[in-house]
Amino acid sequence: MTDTCPNCLTRGIQPRAERTDTTQIRSAYRCPNCGHAWITSRHRTAYPAA
């Protein structure tokens, strides 16, 4: 699953690390454009294909 950098709006960034459990998908990102780092936590039921 890709994301958009919240700092510079670069799109399509792949996660550097990802962890899933029965209810959530946690992804860590670092923008190759500006270096900004962030983490997302998504509910698995919202992304059934993941």
Short mmCIF file of all heavy atoms in Angstrom, two decimals:
data_model
loop_
_atom_site.label_atom_id
_atom_site.label_comp_id
_atom_site.label_asym_id
_atom_site.label_seq_id
_atom_site.Cartn_x
_atom_site.Cartn_y
_atom_site.Cartn_z
N MET A 1 0.84 -1.16 0.00
CA MET A 1 0.00 0.00 0.00
C MET A 1 0.90 1.24 0.00
O MET A 1 1.85 1.32 0.76
CB MET A 1 -0.86 -0.05 1.27
CG MET A 1 -1.85 1.04 1.37
SD MET A 1 -2.96 0.87 2.78
CE MET A 1 -3.47 -0.82 2.67
N THR A 2 0.63 2.16 -0.88
CA THR A 2 1.44 3.38 -0.96
C THR A 2 0.73 4.52 -0.23
O THR A 2 -0.44 4.43 0.11
CB THR A 2 1.69 3.79 -2.42
OG1 THR A 2 0.45 4.09 -3.04
CG2 THR A 2 2.42 2.68 -3.18
N ASP A 3 1.46 5.59 0.00
CA ASP A 3 0.90 6.76 0.69
C ASP A 3 1.47 8.02 0.05
O ASP A 3 2.38 7.96 -0.78
CB ASP A 3 1.24 6.70 2.17
CG ASP A 3 0.27 7.49 3.04
OD1 ASP A 3 -0.62 8.18 2.50
OD2 ASP A 3 0.40 7.42 4.27
N THR A 4 0.94 9.15 0.47
CA THR A 4 1.39 10.46 0.02
C THR A 4 2.09 11.16 1.18
O THR A 4 1.58 11.15 2.31
CB THR A 4 0.19 11.31 -0.46
OG1 THR A 4 -0.43 10.63 -1.55
CG2 THR A 4 0.61 12.70 -0.92
N CYS A 5 3.23 11.76 0.91
CA CYS A 5 3.97 12.48 1.96
C CYS A 5 3.13 13.66 2.46
O CYS A 5 2.72 14.51 1.66
CB CYS A 5 5.30 12.98 1.42
SG CYS A 5 6.24 13.94 2.63
N PRO A 6 2.91 13.74 3.77
CA PRO A 6 2.14 14.87 4.31
C PRO A 6 2.93 16.18 4.32
O PRO A 6 2.35 17.24 4.51
CB PRO A 6 1.80 14.43 5.73
CG PRO A 6 2.85 13.43 6.08
CD PRO A 6 3.23 12.76 4.80
N ASN A 7 4.23 16.11 4.07
CA ASN A 7 5.07 17.30 4.08
C ASN A 7 5.18 17.95 2.70
O ASN A 7 4.91 19.14 2.54
CB ASN A 7 6.46 16.95 4.62
CG ASN A 7 7.32 18.17 4.83
OD1 ASN A 7 6.92 19.09 5.51
ND2 ASN A 7 8.51 18.16 4.26
N CYS A 8 5.53 17.17 1.68
CA CYS A 8 5.77 17.75 0.35
C CYS A 8 4.78 17.24 -0.71
O CYS A 8 4.86 17.63 -1.87
CB CYS A 8 7.19 17.48 -0.10
SG CYS A 8 7.52 15.76 -0.55
N LEU A 9 3.87 16.34 -0.32
CA LEU A 9 2.81 15.81 -1.18
C LEU A 9 3.29 14.91 -2.31
O LEU A 9 2.57 14.71 -3.29
CB LEU A 9 1.93 16.94 -1.72
CG LEU A 9 1.31 17.85 -0.65
CD1 LEU A 9 0.49 18.94 -1.29
CD2 LEU A 9 0.49 17.05 0.35
N THR A 10 4.50 14.35 -2.18
CA THR A 10 4.96 13.35 -3.15
C THR A 10 4.06 12.13 -3.01
O THR A 10 3.80 11.66 -1.91
CB THR A 10 6.43 12.96 -2.88
OG1 THR A 10 7.24 14.12 -3.02
CG2 THR A 10 6.91 11.88 -3.84
N ARG A 11 3.60 11.60 -4.14
CA ARG A 11 2.66 10.48 -4.11
C ARG A 11 3.35 9.14 -4.40
O ARG A 11 4.44 9.10 -4.96
CB ARG A 11 1.57 10.72 -5.15
CG ARG A 11 0.80 11.99 -4.86
CD ARG A 11 -0.25 12.19 -5.87
NE ARG A 11 -1.36 11.32 -5.48
CZ ARG A 11 -2.62 11.59 -5.70
NH1 ARG A 11 -2.95 12.67 -6.34
NH2 ARG A 11 -3.55 10.77 -5.29
N GLY A 12 2.67 8.05 -4.04
CA GLY A 12 3.11 6.71 -4.39
C GLY A 12 4.29 6.19 -3.60
O GLY A 12 5.04 5.35 -4.08
N ILE A 13 4.48 6.64 -2.37
CA ILE A 13 5.61 6.22 -1.56
C ILE A 13 5.33 4.84 -0.96
O ILE A 13 4.29 4.62 -0.34
CB ILE A 13 5.92 7.25 -0.46
CG1 ILE A 13 6.29 8.58 -1.12
CG2 ILE A 13 7.03 6.76 0.46
CD1 ILE A 13 6.39 9.74 -0.18
N GLN A 14 6.27 3.93 -1.15
CA GLN A 14 6.17 2.58 -0.61
C GLN A 14 6.58 2.58 0.86
O GLN A 14 7.49 3.32 1.25
CB GLN A 14 7.10 1.63 -1.38
CG GLN A 14 6.73 1.44 -2.82
CD GLN A 14 5.47 0.61 -2.99
OE1 GLN A 14 5.13 -0.21 -2.15
NE2 GLN A 14 4.78 0.84 -4.08
N PRO A 15 5.98 1.74 1.69
CA PRO A 15 6.39 1.68 3.10
C PRO A 15 7.79 1.08 3.25
O PRO A 15 8.18 0.21 2.49
CB PRO A 15 5.33 0.79 3.75
CG PRO A 15 4.72 0.02 2.64
CD PRO A 15 4.86 0.85 1.41
N ARG A 16 8.53 1.56 4.25
CA ARG A 16 9.84 0.99 4.58
C ARG A 16 9.67 -0.25 5.43
O ARG A 16 10.51 -1.14 5.40
CB ARG A 16 10.66 2.01 5.37
CG ARG A 16 11.06 3.20 4.55
CD ARG A 16 11.82 4.19 5.37
NE ARG A 16 12.86 3.51 6.15
CZ ARG A 16 13.86 4.11 6.73
NH1 ARG A 16 13.97 5.39 6.65
NH2 ARG A 16 14.74 3.44 7.42
N ALA A 17 8.60 -0.28 6.23
CA ALA A 17 8.31 -1.43 7.08
C ALA A 17 6.80 -1.51 7.25
O ALA A 17 6.10 -0.49 7.19
CB ALA A 17 8.97 -1.27 8.44
N GLU A 18 6.32 -2.74 7.43
CA GLU A 18 4.88 -2.91 7.59
C GLU A 18 4.64 -4.05 8.58
O GLU A 18 5.35 -5.05 8.57
CB GLU A 18 4.24 -3.23 6.25
CG GLU A 18 2.77 -2.93 6.19
CD GLU A 18 2.29 -2.83 4.76
OE1 GLU A 18 2.35 -3.83 4.04
OE2 GLU A 18 1.86 -1.73 4.38
N ARG A 19 3.64 -3.87 9.43
CA ARG A 19 3.28 -4.90 10.41
C ARG A 19 1.76 -5.00 10.44
O ARG A 19 1.06 -3.99 10.44
CB ARG A 19 3.80 -4.51 11.78
CG ARG A 19 3.53 -5.56 12.84
CD ARG A 19 4.18 -5.22 14.13
NE ARG A 19 3.73 -3.93 14.61
CZ ARG A 19 4.14 -3.36 15.72
NH1 ARG A 19 5.03 -3.95 16.46
NH2 ARG A 19 3.68 -2.20 16.09
N THR A 20 1.26 -6.21 10.43
CA THR A 20 -0.18 -6.41 10.47
C THR A 20 -0.54 -7.32 11.65
O THR A 20 0.26 -8.14 12.10
CB THR A 20 -0.70 -7.07 9.18
OG1 THR A 20 -0.08 -8.34 9.02
CG2 THR A 20 -0.41 -6.22 7.97
N ASP A 21 -1.73 -7.11 12.16
CA ASP A 21 -2.29 -8.02 13.15
C ASP A 21 -3.74 -8.27 12.75
O ASP A 21 -4.14 -7.96 11.63
CB ASP A 21 -2.13 -7.49 14.58
CG ASP A 21 -2.82 -6.17 14.83
OD1 ASP A 21 -3.85 -5.88 14.17
OD2 ASP A 21 -2.37 -5.42 15.70
N THR A 22 -4.53 -8.81 13.63
CA THR A 22 -5.90 -9.17 13.25
C THR A 22 -6.80 -7.98 12.98
O THR A 22 -7.79 -8.11 12.28
CB THR A 22 -6.55 -10.04 14.34
OG1 THR A 22 -6.52 -9.33 15.58
CG2 THR A 22 -5.82 -11.37 14.48
N THR A 23 -6.46 -6.80 13.49
CA THR A 23 -7.33 -5.64 13.31
C THR A 23 -6.70 -4.46 12.57
O THR A 23 -7.42 -3.61 12.06
CB THR A 23 -7.84 -5.12 14.67
OG1 THR A 23 -6.73 -4.73 15.48
CG2 THR A 23 -8.66 -6.18 15.38
N GLN A 24 -5.36 -4.37 12.53
CA GLN A 24 -4.72 -3.19 11.97
C GLN A 24 -3.55 -3.52 11.06
O GLN A 24 -2.92 -4.56 11.18
CB GLN A 24 -4.24 -2.27 13.08
CG GLN A 24 -5.36 -1.71 13.90
CD GLN A 24 -4.89 -0.60 14.80
OE1 GLN A 24 -3.77 -0.11 14.68
NE2 GLN A 24 -5.74 -0.19 15.71
N ILE A 25 -3.26 -2.55 10.18
CA ILE A 25 -2.07 -2.56 9.33
C ILE A 25 -1.28 -1.32 9.71
O ILE A 25 -1.78 -0.20 9.59
CB ILE A 25 -2.44 -2.49 7.84
CG1 ILE A 25 -3.38 -3.62 7.45
CG2 ILE A 25 -1.18 -2.49 6.98
CD1 ILE A 25 -4.05 -3.41 6.10
N ARG A 26 -0.05 -1.50 10.17
CA ARG A 26 0.80 -0.37 10.54
C ARG A 26 1.94 -0.28 9.54
O ARG A 26 2.63 -1.26 9.30
CB ARG A 26 1.33 -0.57 11.94
CG ARG A 26 0.25 -0.50 12.99
CD ARG A 26 0.81 -0.75 14.38
NE ARG A 26 -0.25 -0.82 15.36
CZ ARG A 26 -0.84 -1.95 15.74
NH1 ARG A 26 -0.45 -3.09 15.21
NH2 ARG A 26 -1.80 -1.93 16.63
N SER A 27 2.13 0.91 8.98
CA SER A 27 3.16 1.11 7.97
C SER A 27 4.03 2.29 8.34
O SER A 27 3.53 3.33 8.79
CB SER A 27 2.51 1.37 6.60
OG SER A 27 1.62 0.33 6.26
N ALA A 28 5.34 2.15 8.12
CA ALA A 28 6.30 3.23 8.36
C ALA A 28 6.82 3.70 7.00
O ALA A 28 7.19 2.90 6.16
CB ALA A 28 7.45 2.75 9.22
N TYR A 29 6.85 5.01 6.81
CA TYR A 29 7.25 5.60 5.53
C TYR A 29 8.36 6.62 5.74
O TYR A 29 8.47 7.23 6.80
CB TYR A 29 6.07 6.34 4.89
CG TYR A 29 4.90 5.46 4.53
CD1 TYR A 29 3.88 5.21 5.44
CD2 TYR A 29 4.81 4.89 3.28
CE1 TYR A 29 2.80 4.42 5.11
CE2 TYR A 29 3.74 4.10 2.92
CZ TYR A 29 2.74 3.86 3.84
OH TYR A 29 1.68 3.08 3.51
N ARG A 30 9.17 6.82 4.71
CA ARG A 30 10.13 7.93 4.64
C ARG A 30 10.11 8.43 3.21
O ARG A 30 10.35 7.68 2.27
CB ARG A 30 11.53 7.52 5.03
CG ARG A 30 12.49 8.74 4.97
CD ARG A 30 13.85 8.50 5.53
NE ARG A 30 13.87 8.02 6.89
CZ ARG A 30 13.83 8.82 7.98
NH1 ARG A 30 13.77 10.11 7.84
NH2 ARG A 30 13.87 8.29 9.18
N CYS A 31 9.86 9.72 3.04
CA CYS A 31 9.76 10.31 1.71
C CYS A 31 11.15 10.40 1.07
O CYS A 31 12.07 10.97 1.66
CB CYS A 31 9.15 11.70 1.81
SG CYS A 31 8.99 12.54 0.21
N PRO A 32 11.31 9.86 -0.14
CA PRO A 32 12.60 9.96 -0.81
C PRO A 32 12.87 11.37 -1.33
O PRO A 32 14.02 11.71 -1.62
CB PRO A 32 12.47 8.97 -1.98
CG PRO A 32 11.01 8.89 -2.24
CD PRO A 32 10.34 9.09 -0.91
N ASN A 33 11.85 12.19 -1.40
CA ASN A 33 12.00 13.56 -1.90
C ASN A 33 12.48 14.53 -0.82
O ASN A 33 13.46 15.25 -1.02
CB ASN A 33 10.68 14.04 -2.50
CG ASN A 33 10.81 15.35 -3.22
OD1 ASN A 33 11.76 15.57 -3.95
ND2 ASN A 33 9.85 16.23 -3.01
N CYS A 34 11.80 14.54 0.35
CA CYS A 34 12.14 15.52 1.39
C CYS A 34 12.67 14.88 2.67
O CYS A 34 13.12 15.59 3.57
CB CYS A 34 10.92 16.38 1.70
SG CYS A 34 9.59 15.54 2.60
N GLY A 35 12.60 13.55 2.81
CA GLY A 35 13.13 12.87 3.98
C GLY A 35 12.17 12.78 5.17
O GLY A 35 12.51 12.21 6.20
N HIS A 36 10.97 13.34 5.03
CA HIS A 36 9.99 13.30 6.12
C HIS A 36 9.62 11.85 6.43
O HIS A 36 9.46 11.03 5.52
CB HIS A 36 8.75 14.09 5.72
CG HIS A 36 7.72 14.19 6.79
ND1 HIS A 36 7.89 14.98 7.89
CD2 HIS A 36 6.51 13.59 6.92
CE1 HIS A 36 6.83 14.88 8.66
NE2 HIS A 36 5.97 14.02 8.10
N ALA A 37 9.47 11.51 7.72
CA ALA A 37 9.09 10.16 8.14
C ALA A 37 7.76 10.22 8.88
O ALA A 37 7.50 11.16 9.63
CB ALA A 37 10.16 9.57 9.03
N TRP A 38 6.92 9.20 8.67
CA TRP A 38 5.64 9.11 9.35
C TRP A 38 5.18 7.67 9.42
O TRP A 38 5.69 6.80 8.74
CB TRP A 38 4.58 10.00 8.69
CG TRP A 38 4.11 9.53 7.34
CD1 TRP A 38 2.95 8.84 7.07
CD2 TRP A 38 4.76 9.71 6.08
NE1 TRP A 38 2.85 8.59 5.73
CE2 TRP A 38 3.94 9.11 5.09
CE3 TRP A 38 5.95 10.30 5.68
CZ2 TRP A 38 4.29 9.10 3.75
CZ3 TRP A 38 6.28 10.28 4.34
CH2 TRP A 38 5.47 9.69 3.40
N ILE A 39 4.21 7.43 10.28
CA ILE A 39 3.64 6.10 10.47
C ILE A 39 2.13 6.20 10.30
O ILE A 39 1.51 7.17 10.75
CB ILE A 39 3.97 5.57 11.88
CG1 ILE A 39 5.48 5.39 12.02
CG2 ILE A 39 3.25 4.25 12.16
CD1 ILE A 39 5.93 5.06 13.41
N THR A 40 1.54 5.20 9.65
CA THR A 40 0.09 5.12 9.54
C THR A 40 -0.39 3.86 10.25
O THR A 40 0.33 2.87 10.36
CB THR A 40 -0.39 5.07 8.08
OG1 THR A 40 0.11 3.88 7.47
CG2 THR A 40 0.06 6.28 7.30
N SER A 41 -1.62 3.92 10.71
CA SER A 41 -2.28 2.77 11.31
C SER A 41 -3.67 2.72 10.69
O SER A 41 -4.45 3.66 10.84
CB SER A 41 -2.36 2.93 12.82
OG SER A 41 -2.95 1.79 13.40
N ARG A 42 -3.94 1.65 9.96
CA ARG A 42 -5.22 1.52 9.25
C ARG A 42 -5.98 0.30 9.75
O ARG A 42 -5.38 -0.73 10.05
CB ARG A 42 -4.95 1.39 7.75
CG ARG A 42 -4.29 2.60 7.15
CD ARG A 42 -3.99 2.35 5.67
NE ARG A 42 -3.57 3.55 5.00
CZ ARG A 42 -2.32 3.84 4.67
NH1 ARG A 42 -1.35 2.99 4.96
NH2 ARG A 42 -2.02 4.95 4.05
N HIS A 43 -7.30 0.39 9.77
CA HIS A 43 -8.12 -0.74 10.14
C HIS A 43 -8.20 -1.71 8.97
O HIS A 43 -8.49 -1.31 7.85
CB HIS A 43 -9.54 -0.29 10.52
CG HIS A 43 -9.57 0.47 11.80
ND1 HIS A 43 -9.55 -0.15 13.02
CD2 HIS A 43 -9.62 1.80 12.04
CE1 HIS A 43 -9.58 0.78 13.97
NE2 HIS A 43 -9.61 1.96 13.40
N ARG A 44 -7.92 -2.98 9.23
CA ARG A 44 -7.93 -4.00 8.16
C ARG A 44 -9.29 -4.10 7.47
O ARG A 44 -9.34 -4.36 6.27
CB ARG A 44 -7.54 -5.36 8.72
CG ARG A 44 -6.06 -5.44 9.07
CD ARG A 44 -5.67 -6.81 9.56
NE ARG A 44 -5.88 -7.84 8.57
CZ ARG A 44 -4.98 -8.25 7.68
NH1 ARG A 44 -3.79 -7.69 7.68
NH2 ARG A 44 -5.25 -9.19 6.84
N THR A 45 -10.38 -3.90 8.18
CA THR A 45 -11.70 -4.01 7.56
C THR A 45 -11.94 -2.95 6.49
O THR A 45 -12.74 -3.14 5.59
CB THR A 45 -12.82 -3.92 8.62
OG1 THR A 45 -12.66 -2.71 9.37
CG2 THR A 45 -12.76 -5.12 9.56
N ALA A 46 -11.22 -1.83 6.55
CA ALA A 46 -11.34 -0.78 5.54
C ALA A 46 -10.53 -1.11 4.29
O ALA A 46 -10.73 -0.51 3.25
CB ALA A 46 -10.88 0.55 6.11
N TYR A 47 -9.58 -2.06 4.41
CA TYR A 47 -8.71 -2.45 3.29
C TYR A 47 -8.73 -3.97 3.17
O TYR A 47 -7.73 -4.64 3.45
CB TYR A 47 -7.28 -1.95 3.53
CG TYR A 47 -7.18 -0.46 3.67
CD1 TYR A 47 -7.33 0.14 4.92
CD2 TYR A 47 -6.97 0.35 2.57
CE1 TYR A 47 -7.26 1.52 5.05
CE2 TYR A 47 -6.89 1.73 2.70
CZ TYR A 47 -7.05 2.30 3.93
OH TYR A 47 -6.97 3.64 4.07
N PRO A 48 -9.83 -4.56 2.75
CA PRO A 48 -9.95 -6.02 2.74
C PRO A 48 -8.95 -6.73 1.82
O PRO A 48 -8.61 -7.88 2.06
CB PRO A 48 -11.38 -6.27 2.30
CG PRO A 48 -11.81 -5.02 1.63
CD PRO A 48 -11.02 -3.91 2.25
N ALA A 49 -8.45 -6.05 0.80
CA ALA A 49 -7.50 -6.69 -0.13
C ALA A 49 -6.09 -6.69 0.43
O ALA A 49 -5.20 -7.33 -0.13
CB ALA A 49 -7.53 -5.97 -1.48
N ALA A 50 -5.84 -5.98 1.49
CA ALA A 50 -4.47 -5.86 2.05
C ALA A 50 -4.09 -7.06 2.88
O ALA A 50 -4.87 -7.77 3.40
CB ALA A 50 -4.36 -4.60 2.87
#
